[in-house]
């Protein structure tokens, strides 16, 4: 049995099922992070004192570096998809591989940031500021890990589909890309909210 | 796949290859998944119901021991057969959780939505069959986690189905399992709702425009959006509460909180009200998740048994859409008594009054659909008709709760319990029964017995009202909900006969379900076989599929020629013109 529009676009909506599905998924993610950001606002407004991230030891240079790393990974993700569209599988592998490496780079920097905090005996339980800092960045970190898993699968065993069904595979890369841009975007919000404001 | 003509034999050969596990357990067929959802949800409904049967003993006869139960449940729950207050709280909390998240929603959406919706839109399956199966398994694991929590030290969650903080933050470990279970259930409904929306938008068969969709499909469509967008904030809340419980944060703990005479060591600075906002942001849309699929089922059954088009099809659909959007703006009507300020209260009071209007419109349209009809009083129709006044009581009793002045008196009393049970129990559950009696022949090829069905209906109707009507009176007289010993106050003592009456009604209601259980299993093997694929002479697409529908549903994709409820069209030979039959 063949599911209609699982690869080809539906003539009315102009997109295949998967693309619709990933947009809906991202809509729910917006609600998830939206709720957390709203909680942040509520807690901050209700607090007697609220520190600036930089005054309590958050490193703006490291976070800026990480912002660059994630933006770069979004660019390589697009390049990976574009390479597929131009039928250049080797280049695709290269760019997707780079995306995965950059994501790892992000996590390594994050790891150093976290351990620096722990060395100074700073934990989520230290203050409401650090509670929300660890929760938001932790949840975002989980999303990065999720992206690494998906992308690694598509780089490795999942890439077999390219030979039998190139369109389906290119779609999958596109969806993974949409998700990855979203993860990037969340960080673009987290960075100023936690480190700068 | 290209040779459509040869499709059938190929297909059947393919079927043989699937082993038992792939076919019935880890199936990706929307119908098998629907049945899995349905059976699991019915078991959970029964379990959640038994919890409250137990609780009703304490309310009817506070502190009176039941020795044999004490022996079964042990010292931690019922020492010497007397129910501990903690156990009472666990029963209440887990009853609510299980009924809402593991019973009604999985039955209304997971089972009926999964089984019927793709058939009604003429699709071969859901858009993402594997994700559909995953959705069931997340639900299943979530259920197992909730059941497991009964066996952890300190027992399961005891902070109500709402898990209000700070109480839930400092509760025993069962609360952590509750949160973990909820995360699984939220993931399940996320996967399900994406599937529903994509399927309905992308996979309607030829000729089936949006304005030709059955009301049931519309209801599932809007419900899916509610699940998709309202559940993530609860997930966020669950994450924050988990952090509070496991990592020692104080998201929901205010400064200087004293528990049992001791300052608790957390930093404080959090907001207990934040939990309530996040929870009700989900849970108000959730109540429409509980009711909309039921309304959809009732619309189908009423159209079929009045042999008339629904009165105001478009009006009903617009009302459903309006409810869907509006339901995100009323949540704080559950929080009038939290001191959130009059501006906020006025806003949420206004939106609550506005959202009542489409509910009344839907109800009125369904009621007017009965006007002048020669009604077939089949079992599904009895349940569908009874839904109308029951839902009306539920909805109307909501209005005084939505007005701040009267809610001050009624909040946190048995009146609130009466209100929402009228909507969910004789409301949604009756609609779900209507759906079971209506679609059973499509699923099994056999009819449910109508004598047993009618016994089931009349007894349930009487005892449902026996349970919930007195609650409204108790509440208006000032009886608080969630009291362990209702005789602890003088006014409670005076009202004690009500408690006894309700408990007996509830136990008799339980007994009234026996004919249904017998019917359900007996008819599977012994019920009257259907002689056609369309035993109710209905008009929608699911009745054009073979009985029971095979993997892939339709031998050839059906085509739709008309609107969903063309019954008794003047000048036609038969009193129904199915969507799928082309006529001159
Ligand atoms: C039709 C218009 C409705 C209005 C105006 C309305 C209004 C309200 C209000 C204001 C409350 C809060 C009462 C309080 O705690 O003091 C409430 C509670 C509740 N309503 Fe409704 N409601 C309506 C329909 C529904 C429907 C359709 C459902 C679906 C099942 C529902 C389910 C609930 C539940 C579950 C609660 C109690 C939650 C709890 O505190 O445990 N209501 N309603
Ligand atoms: Cu509400």
């Amino acid at each position: 049995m063949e599911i209609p529009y699982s690869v080809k676009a539906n003539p009315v909506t102009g997109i295949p099922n998967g693309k619709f599905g990933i947009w809906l998924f991202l809509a729910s993610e917006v609600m998830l992070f939206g709720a957390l950001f709203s909680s942040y606002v509520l807690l901050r407004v209700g607090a007697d004192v609220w520190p600036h991230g930089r005054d309590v030891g958050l490193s703006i240079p490291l976070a800026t570096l990480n912002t660059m790393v994630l933006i770069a990974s979004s660019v390589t993700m697009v390049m990976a998809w574009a390479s597929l569209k131009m039928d250049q599988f080797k280049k695709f592998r290269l760019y997707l591989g780079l995306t995965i490496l950059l994501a790892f780079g992000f996590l390594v920097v994050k790891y150093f940031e976290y351990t620096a905090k722990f060395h100074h005996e700073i934990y989520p339980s230290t203050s409401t500021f650090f509670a929300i800092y660890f929760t938001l960045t932790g949840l975002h970190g989980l999303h990065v890990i999720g992206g690494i898993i998906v992308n690694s699968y598509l780089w490795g065993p999942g890439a077999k589909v390219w030979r039998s069904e190139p369109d389906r595979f290119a779609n999958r890369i596109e969806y993974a890309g949409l998700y990855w841009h979203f993860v990037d975007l969340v960080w673009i919000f987290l960075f100023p909210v936690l480190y700068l404001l | 796949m290209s040779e459509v003509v040869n499709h059938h034999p190929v297909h059947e050969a393919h079927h043989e290859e699937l082993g038992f596990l792939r076919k019935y357990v880890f199936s990706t067929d929307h119908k098998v998944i629907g049945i899995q959802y349905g059976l699991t949800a019915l078991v959970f409904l029964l379990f959640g119901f038994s919890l409250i049967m137990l609780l009703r003993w304490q309310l009817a006869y506070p502190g009176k021991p039941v020795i044999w139960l004490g022996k079964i449940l042990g010292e931690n729950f019922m020492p010497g057969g007397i129910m501990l207050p903690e156990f009472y709280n666990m029963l209440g909390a887990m009853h609510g959780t299980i009924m809402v998240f593991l019973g009604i929603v999985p039955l209304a959406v997971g089972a009926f939505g999964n089984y019927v919706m793709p058939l009604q839109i003429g699709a071969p399956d859901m858009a993402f069959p594997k994700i559909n199966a995953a959705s069931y398994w997340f639900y299943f694991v979530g259920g197992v986690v909730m059941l497991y929590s009964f066996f952890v030290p300190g027992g399961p969650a005891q902070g109500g189905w709402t898990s209000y903080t700070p109480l839930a933050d400092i509760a025993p470990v069962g609360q952590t399992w509750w949160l973990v279970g909820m995360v699984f259930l939220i993931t399940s409904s996320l996967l399900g709702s994406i599937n529903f929306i994509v399927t309905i938008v992308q996979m309607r068969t030829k000729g089936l425009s949006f304005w030709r969709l059955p009301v049931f499909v519309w209801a599932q469509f809007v419900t899916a959006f509610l699940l998709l967008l309202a559940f993530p904030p609860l997930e966020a809340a669950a994450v924050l509460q988990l952090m509070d419980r496991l990592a020692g944060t104080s998201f929901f703990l205010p400064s200087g909180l004293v528990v049992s005479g001791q300052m608790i060591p957390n930093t404080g600075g959090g907001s207990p009200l934040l939990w309530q906002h996040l929870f009700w942001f989900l849970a108000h849309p959730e109540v429409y998740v509980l009711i909309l699929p039921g309304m959809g089922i009732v619309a189908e059954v009423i159209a079929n048994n009045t042999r008339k088009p629904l009165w105001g099809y478009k009006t009903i659909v617009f009302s459903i859409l309006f409810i869907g959007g509006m339901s995100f703006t009323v949540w704080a009507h559950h929080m009038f008594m939290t001191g959130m300020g009059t501006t906020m209260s006025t806003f949420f009071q206004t939106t609550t009054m506005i959202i009542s209007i489409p509910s009344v419109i839907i109800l009125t349209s369904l009621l007017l659909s009965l006007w002048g009809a020669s009604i077939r009083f089949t079992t599904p129709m009895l349940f569908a008709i009874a839904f109308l006044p029951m839902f009306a009581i539920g909805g109307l009793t909501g209005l005084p709760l939505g007005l701040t002045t009267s809610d001050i008196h009624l909040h946190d009393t048995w009146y609130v319990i009466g209100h929402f049970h009228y909507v969910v129990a004789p409301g949604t559950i009756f609609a779900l029964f209507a759906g079971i009696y209506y679609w059973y022949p499509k699923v099994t090829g056999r009819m449910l017995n109508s004598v047993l069905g009618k016994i089931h209906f009349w007894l349930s109707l009487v005892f449902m009202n026996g349970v919930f009507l007195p609650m409204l009176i108790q509440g208006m007289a000032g009886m608080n909900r969630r009291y362990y010993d209702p005789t602890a106050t003088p006014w409670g003592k005076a009202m004690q006969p009500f408690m006894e009456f309700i408990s007996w009604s509830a136990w008799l209601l339980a007994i009234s379900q026996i004919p249904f259980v017998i019917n359900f299993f007996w008819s599977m093997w012994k019920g009257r076989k259907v002689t056609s694929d369309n035993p109710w002479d209905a008009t929608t697409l699911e009745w054009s599929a073979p009985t029971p529908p095979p993997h892939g549903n339709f031998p050839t994709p059906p085509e739709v020629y008309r609107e969903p409820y063309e019954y008794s069209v003047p000048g036609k030979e038969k009193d129904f013109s199915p969507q799928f039959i082309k006529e001159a």
Side-chain angles (χ1 to χ4, degrees):
Chain A
M1 175 194 47
E2 191 73 29
I3 304 287
Y5 312 120
S6 54
V7 180
K8 295 228 155 38
N10 176 309
V12 178
T13 57
I15 48 175
N17 296 342
K19 193 156 176 181
F20 197 174
I22 195 80
W23 278 115
L24 291 173
F25 173 66
L26 293 182
S28 89
E29 291 276 90
V30 168
M31 294 304 287
L32 176 69
F33 282 99
L36 289 168
F37 277 115
S38 311
S39 306
Y40 166 88
V41 172
L42 233 109
L43 289 169
R44 181 165 181 167
V45 169
D48 300 331
V49 282
W50 192 267
H52 288 288
R54 55 177 181 276
D55 300 336
V56 287
L58 294 196
S59 163
I60 294 179
L62 280 184
T64 313
L65 172 68
N66 250 352
T67 310
M68 296 306 180
V69 168
L70 269 195
I71 291 177
S73 78
S74 255
V75 174
T76 53
M77 189 80 216
V78 174
M79 302 289 275
W81 178 67
S83 312
L84 270 192
K85 282 289 178 189
M86 291 184 292
D87 222 0
Q88 296 171 320
F89 187 71
K90 282 226 173 75
K91 265 198 175 163
F92 153 76
R93 270 246 158 108
L94 176 70
Y95 281 123
L96 191 63
L98 270 176
T99 312
I100 298 167
L101 283 182
L102 286 167
F104 267 115
F106 176 89
L107 288 181
V108 169
V109 173
K110 206 78 230 155
Y111 170 80
F112 281 118
E113 282 194 78
Y114 271 22
T115 42
K117 299 286 163 312
F118 297 153
H119 276 307
H120 291 92
E121 308 248 311
I122 293 175
Y123 302 103
S125 55
T126 303
S127 69
T128 309
F129 174 80
F130 278 107
I132 197 90
Y133 164 80
F134 278 107
T135 308
L136 278 171
T137 54
L139 208 64
H140 176 258
L142 284 180
H143 278 75
V144 173
I145 293 173
I148 290 179
I149 292 172
V150 170
N151 284 345
S152 305
Y153 173 77
L154 291 170
W155 189 88
K160 272 195 296 241
V161 180
W162 170 250
R163 251 174 278 145
S164 51
E165 293 174 279
D167 285 343
R168 187 183 289 264
F169 186 67
N171 282 351
R172 284 186 181 165
I173 297 299
E174 190 185 358
Y175 309 153
L178 284 172
Y179 169 77
W180 190 247
H181 299 324
F182 175 80
V183 174
D184 193 359
L185 188 70
V186 170
W187 177 257
I188 305 273
F189 277 95
L190 284 181
F191 175 43
V193 163
L194 294 175
Y195 290 80
L196 303 178
L197 288 175
Chain B
M1 283 295 140
S2 49
E3 319 102 294
V4 177
V5 191
N6 285 338
H7 195 84
H8 232 80
V10 171
H11 201 87
E12 245 130 57
H14 178 66
H15 247 188
E16 303 290 317
E17 287 162 22
L18 291 177
F20 177 82
L21 274 183
R22 284 287 309 281
K23 200 167 165 193
Y24 297 110
V25 183
F26 298 109
S27 171
T28 56
D29 183 335
H30 74 100
K31 298 180 295 297
V32 179
I33 296 170
I35 293 169
Q36 289 175 325
Y37 256 118
L39 295 177
T40 317
L42 282 171
V43 170
F44 273 116
L45 274 180
L46 195 65
F47 179 63
F49 190 49
S50 346
L51 296 181
I52 215 68
M53 294 299 102
L54 212 59
L55 182 147
R56 287 289 346 166
W57 176 263
Q58 166 66 19
L59 287 176
Y61 306 106
K64 195 167 165 185
V66 192
I67 305 296
W68 60 272
L69 256 178
K71 286 199 181 116
I72 299 174
L73 293 169
E75 295 293 304
N76 292 335
F77 294 143
M78 287 183 83
I82 298 174
M83 185 177 292
L84 287 178
E86 290 80 7
F87 186 45
Y88 173 89
N89 287 342
M90 292 169 204
L91 290 175
M94 294 312 285
H95 163 74
T97 304
I98 288 174
M99 291 313 237
V100 171
F101 297 110
L102 289 160
I104 308 271
V105 177
L107 190 56
V109 179
F112 282 108
N114 247 316
Y115 196 99
V116 177
M117 185 273 285
L119 287 169
Q120 283 196 332
I121 64 168
D125 205 322
M126 286 285 202
F128 311 111
K130 282 185 194 147
I131 291 183
N132 201 19
S135 155
Y136 171 76
W137 288 106
F138 271 104
Y139 159 60
F140 186 83
V141 173
V144 171
V145 169
M146 291 290 185
L147 291 181
Y148 172 74
S149 76
F150 278 85
F151 301 99
V152 301
Q158 38 186 304
W161 78 289
T162 53
S163 280
Y164 271 12
T165 52
L167 204 58
D169 262 7
I170 55 174
V173 68
Q175 179 65 25
T176 303
W177 287 101
W178 186 90
L179 292 165
V180 172
M182 285 309 292
V183 170
F184 276 98
L185 296 176
I186 293 169
T187 311
S188 158
S189 69
L190 169 69
L191 299 177
S193 57
I194 292 177
N195 233 326
F196 275 51
I197 297 171
V198 174
T199 306
I200 293 173
V201 174
Q202 300 267 105
M203 288 170 57
R204 280 165 291 120
T205 196
K206 201 169 161 211
L208 189 57
S209 63
F210 267 100
W211 288 120
R212 285 177 170 180
L213 286 179
V215 171
F216 178 75
V217 176
W218 276 110
Q220 291 288 343
F221 187 59
V222 174
T223 302
F225 271 103
L226 298 181
L227 288 173
L228 181 78
L229 300 177
F231 255 128
L234 182 65
E235 182 151 29
V239 168
L240 296 182
Q241 201 182 92
L242 272 174
M243 289 293 287
D244 274 5
R245 296 179 53 85
L246 301 177
T249 59
S250 300
F251 288 117
F252 304 125
L253 293 173
S255 305
L257 185 65
V258 175
V259 178
S260 315
Q262 295 219 314
M263 252 313 248
I264 61 163
N266 291 43
T267 55
S271 158
L273 279 193
L274 176 59
W275 169 267
Q276 296 195 21
H277 279 296
L278 291 172
F279 181 86
W280 288 114
F281 187 86
L282 154 88
H284 188 86
E286 174 80 6
V287 308
Y288 288 97
V289 170
L290 294 171
I291 194 73
L292 288 179
M295 287 178 169
I297 294 172
V298 168
E300 299 301 301
V301 174
I302 284 188
N304 176 253
N305 287 286
T306 54
R307 317 303 293 163
K308 286 192 331 155
L310 279 182
W311 193 93
Y313 164 82
K314 279 201 179 176
T315 314
I316 295 179
V317 172
F318 277 123
S319 302
I320 292 177
L321 290 169
F322 186 75
I323 287 182
M326 199 68 195
S327 69
F328 286 98
T329 63
V330 301
W331 77 88
H333 64 206
H334 296 269
M335 302 166 61
F336 287 145
M337 294 291 278
T338 58
M340 60 186 177
T342 44
T343 320
M344 291 270 272
S345 293
T346 312
F347 173 81
F348 285 103
Q349 166 174 295
T350 312
T351 52
T352 304
M353 290 305 114
I354 293 174
I355 202 178
S356 314
I357 298 169
S359 306
V360 174
I361 293 179
I362 295 175
L363 195 65
T364 313
S365 300
L366 293 174
L367 203 61
L368 285 177
S369 300
L370 303 178
W371 191 267
S374 50
I375 298 174
R376 296 192 313 206
F377 289 99
T378 58
T379 319
M381 186 59 173
L382 290 176
F383 278 103
I385 294 179
F387 170 91
L388 302 178
M390 296 297 106
F391 174 72
I393 298 179
L396 290 178
T397 51
L399 293 179
L401 295 174
L403 295 165
T404 46
T405 28
S406 35
D407 188 54
I408 292 176
H409 181 63
L410 296 170
H411 178 67
D412 249 338
T413 66
W414 280 97
Y415 180 92
V416 177
I417 311 281
H419 152 65
F420 70 77
H421 279 87
Y422 258 105
V423 200
V424 191
T428 302
I429 292 185
F430 272 15
L432 294 173
F433 278 134
I436 292 176
Y437 284 97
Y438 183 61
W439 280 302
Y440 190 90
K442 179 54 58 185
V443 180
T444 62
R446 290 172 189 272
M447 306 291 278
L448 281 164
N449 180 289
S450 74
V451 175
L452 283 173
K454 279 167 190 165
I455 296 175
H456 174 215
F457 168 73
W458 286 109
L459 292 177
S460 296
L461 182 67
V462 169
F463 294 125
M464 279 278 189
N465 284 285
V467 172
F468 299 118
L469 202 61
M471 287 187 187
L472 296 173
I473 303 168
Q474 282 181 312
M476 284 188 275
M479 276 294 287
N480 277 75
R481 69 194 276 196
R482 290 178 172 157
Y483 270 21
Y484 163 68
D485 181 357
T487 57
T489 59
W491 60 93
K493 218 178 191 117
M495 300 273 291
Q496 194 53 20
F498 277 77
M499 283 295 184
E500 244 184 283
F501 180 84
I502 294 174
S503 288
W504 280 101
S505 299
W507 297 324
L508 289 170
L509 179 63
I511 292 171
S512 313
Q513 304 313 304
I514 292 173
F516 171 71
V517 176
I518 294 175
N519 200 352
F520 191 83
F521 290 105
W522 183 82
S523 300
M524 238 176 250
W525 288 278
K526 294 277 154 89
R528 183 163 56 80
K529 274 197 173 159
V530 292
T531 48
S532 102
D533 285 333
N534 189 0
W536 303 110
D537 291 341
T539 52
T540 42
L541 276 178
E542 75 270 32
W543 304 104
S544 74
T547 309
H551 194 51
N553 295 343
F554 301 93
T556 53
E559 196 173 336
V560 168
Y561 303 96
R562 57 180 58 77
E563 289 176 4
Y565 308 112
E566 299 213 352
Y567 288 101
S568 306
V569 180
K572 291 277 168 73
E573 195 183 315
K574 283 189 274 175
D575 74 343
F576 64 112
S577 315
Q579 287 189 291
F580 46 87
I581 292 180
K582 192 175 184 175
E583 291 169 19

